[in-house]
Amino acid sequence: EYLRQIRHKRVDGLIIADFAIHRMHEDLKSLDVPAVFMGHLPNRAIDSVAFDDQGGCYAMGKYLAEAGHKRVAHVTGPSFFQQAMVRRQGFEQGFADAGGTPEEALRYEGTYLVPSGYEAVEWLLREHGADLPSAIFFANSLMARGALAALHDRGLEAPRDIAIATFDDFDHLDYVRPKLTRVGGKPADLATKALEMLRERLDGRWTGEPRSEILPCRLRRFDTA
């Protein structure tokens, strides 16, 4: 509906966030104004910018294996999101390449929302309480925050009882305790690049085919892993 309205209103440019048009990428081809998509855009209908989810998760998998973790639980995003599967594959490949062995029995499909992180810890304690892995990797920080609450409610701590790492590097995570070991990029960097690309279109400095920019992720070790 928003895309339809855009065609009838006088706007100079448009920035579109990834989940705003889930499974509607083909509709972007009908836009007649300069636009930039923030996220991975397989059909390259318009300019796009995204973080290197695969590379970031690969680095975290490698880091945990090199830190001595042999068994790691993995709480993924929903399988119907392509990028959730990209993150999963990147992490498990990095973990395996550094000597770890990904275990399907330790994989839990989350929702990217806080409650599923809480539920993932409940599942892990219920199903593997007698033989817990030494670490958990969460596909996003909302689920990791839910996990911290679940551990606290059961008298457990990270990393004393189990290490925790997550994808995402939002500024607000600096105010979560214990501070989460994480990999990702700053949303402000994504927005800045999107605005830069849009201005280049509006000013006529770029008139070529749609571009696909990938920004690097940064791994930062803090209190939990």
Side-chain angles (χ1 to χ4, degrees), residues 65-113:
E66 291 177 345
H69 297 287
K70 302 301 182 185
R71 297 176 65 241
V72 176
H74 186 190
V75 182
T76 73
S79 58
F80 54 80
F81 284 141
Q82 180 186 9
Q83 280 315 109
M85 295 301 96
V86 168
R87 292 181 188 182
R88 189 189 92 181
Q89 292 161 8
F91 174 77
E92 293 182 355
Q93 188 64 57
F95 188 60
D97 286 352
T101 303
E103 297 181 39
E104 187 173 352
L106 291 175
R107 187 190 301 143
Y108 182 91
E109 184 173 327
T111 66
Y112 277 154
L113 302 177

Side-chain angles (χ1 to χ4, degrees), residues 187-208:
D189 294 341
L190 202 66
T192 297
K193 187 62 179 179
L195 284 166
E196 177 185 307
M197 296 172 76
L198 185 60
R199 291 294 313 196
E200 289 174 351
R201 287 285 186 185
L202 293 171
D203 296 343
R205 285 177 286 141
W206 181 261
T207 58

Side-chain angles (χ1 to χ4, degrees), residues 1-212:
E1 176 62 17
Y2 280 127
L3 292 175
R4 184 188 67 78
Q5 290 185 32
I6 287 294
R7 300 187 192 106
H8 302 288
K9 294 183 178 180
R10 304 185 67 172
V11 297
D12 294 319
L14 189 64
I15 292 178
I16 303 166
D18 191 350
F19 296 131
I21 56 165
H22 180 55
R23 294 181 177 174
M24 291 178 56
H25 295 161
E26 290 303 307
D27 292 82
L28 296 176
K29 293 180 178 178
S30 65
L31 288 175
D32 58 2
V33 296
V36 178
F37 184 81
M38 291 198 300
H40 293 271
L41 186 60
N43 68 359
R44 295 177 177 260
I46 59 175
D47 290 334
S48 66
V49 57
F51 286 119
D52 183 8
D53 290 24
Q54 194 276 340
C57 289
Y58 180 94
M60 183 59 81
K62 185 171 180 288
Y63 164 76
L64 289 176
E66 291 177 345
H69 297 287
K70 302 301 182 185
R71 297 176 65 241
V72 176
H74 186 190
V75 182
T76 73
S79 58
F80 54 80
F81 284 141
Q82 180 186 9
Q83 280 315 109
M85 295 301 96
V86 168
R87 292 181 188 182
R88 189 189 92 181
Q89 292 161 8
F91 174 77
E92 293 182 355
Q93 188 64 57
F95 188 60
D97 286 352
T101 303
E103 297 181 39
E104 187 173 352
L106 291 175
R107 187 190 301 143
Y108 182 91
E109 184 173 327
T111 66
Y112 277 154
L113 302 177
V114 173
S116 71
Y118 196 101
E119 292 159 5
V121 169
E122 291 184 319
W123 163 82
L124 189 63
L125 294 175
R126 182 174 64 250
E127 299 295 327
H128 302 279
D131 186 23
L132 282 176
S134 59
I136 316 174
F137 175 63
F138 290 87
N140 85 339
S141 59
L142 289 177
M143 295 190 297
R145 286 166 58 188
L148 289 177
L151 291 175
H152 174 81
D153 289 349
R154 285 153 185 77
L156 302 174
E157 294 180 10
R160 184 194 68 192
D161 300 298
I162 191 166
I164 290 183
T166 186
F167 188 87
D168 279 339
D169 193 17
F170 301 141
D171 288 340
H172 67 76
L173 293 176
D174 288 337
Y175 301 96
V176 173
R177 295 294 182 272
K179 292 180 74 172
L180 290 161
T181 291
R182 54 196 186 259
V183 66
K186 299 292 186 184
D189 294 341
L190 202 66
T192 297
K193 187 62 179 179
L195 284 166
E196 177 185 307
M197 296 172 76
L198 185 60
R199 291 294 313 196
E200 289 174 351
R201 287 285 186 185
L202 293 171
D203 296 343
R205 285 177 286 141
W206 181 261
T207 58
E209 292 297 312
R211 300 159 292 175
S212 179

